[in-house]
Amino acid sequence: MHNTMIDATVLELLASRICHDLISPVGAVNNGVEFLEDMGADAGDEAIALISMSAQAAAARLQVFRLAYGAGGRDPNIKPWDIHKTFDNLITADGKIKQNWDARAVFADVELPEGFCKILTATLMLAAECMPKGGAIGVTHENGETRVIAGGPDAAPRAQVREALAVELDPADLDPRLVHPFATGILGRQYGLNITIEKAGDSMVTFLIKRA
């Protein structure tokens, strides 16, 4: 494994991104609770539904963040089908993005390196960010190379994501939208994996994960 120093700016931006993504569902839970307190029994099923849906969304985001950024993501007991299910929980609430791959079939009898599921989670997040109008995400694995394919209307990588994945940007030039690919690039190096944008065009983006 490579030892990589992480600038404090990266940690701050990463924390900002996590908090930003959690504010909306957690705030909705709080609104639902306040509504129940104000209306009591008259709040009805609407408040309960709001609380339940928002709590599920917050839990799904926390689980994805834990796998992508936390130590839990490198647990060898976590398998690609666990990642598929967790990511599905994240995208189900919005409904614009679907997964069209069978994790057990794609990774049947495949020996995966340490940290692979962490990087797969982070790459699925990158793929979702390429699809502003929704679409479908597929995953293939062949000859030790994994491809995460995002396809949908106007699907395209954001500016400078390639450079961020390659850890070629100065941390001072990062912003919340670039900190995820930058951190993914650093984590990939830590586990001996390269994550690159192999192809982009015609409303499709292909990310490639392979050993460094």
Side-chain angles (χ1 to χ4, degrees), residues 61-126:
R61 293 185 189 188
L62 278 170
Q63 180 69 350
V64 167
F65 289 143
R66 185 183 78 87
L67 291 171
Y69 304 138
R74 67 169 185 259
D75 185 340
N77 294 314
I78 296 175
K79 305 301 180 184
W81 37 95
D82 299 317
I83 302 305
H84 184 287
K85 180 179 179 181
T86 300
F87 188 69
D88 220 46
N89 291 337
L90 177 68
I91 61 179
T92 294
D94 185 64
K96 294 195 303 181
I97 298 173
K98 306 293 183 184
Q99 295 189 91
N100 61 5
W101 61 291
D102 183 333
R104 291 185 182 274
V106 171
F107 292 100
D109 302 319
V110 175
E111 185 175 345
L112 298 170
E114 181 187 8
F116 176 82
C117 284
K118 170 188 288 291
I119 300 305
L120 177 60
T121 303
T123 307
L124 287 168
M125 293 168 66
L126 286 170

Side-chain angles (χ1 to χ4, degrees), residues 160-184:
Q160 294 187 292
V161 168
R162 291 179 187 269
E163 293 83 356
L165 277 172
V167 197
E168 293 175 350
L169 297 179
D170 188 309
D173 295 330
L174 294 176
D175 58 31
R177 69 183 176 82
L178 287 172
V179 70
H180 174 64
F182 190 86
T184 299

Side-chain angles (χ1 to χ4, degrees), residues 32-77:
V33 171
E34 290 180 349
F35 189 51
L36 276 175
E37 290 175 344
D38 292 341
M39 300 297 293
D42 295 330
D45 295 337
E46 185 177 346
I48 299 297
L50 173 63
I51 293 172
S52 176
M53 181 178 66
S54 302
Q56 288 174 11
R61 293 185 189 188
L62 278 170
Q63 180 69 350
V64 167
F65 289 143
R66 185 183 78 87
L67 291 171
Y69 304 138
R74 67 169 185 259
D75 185 340
N77 294 314

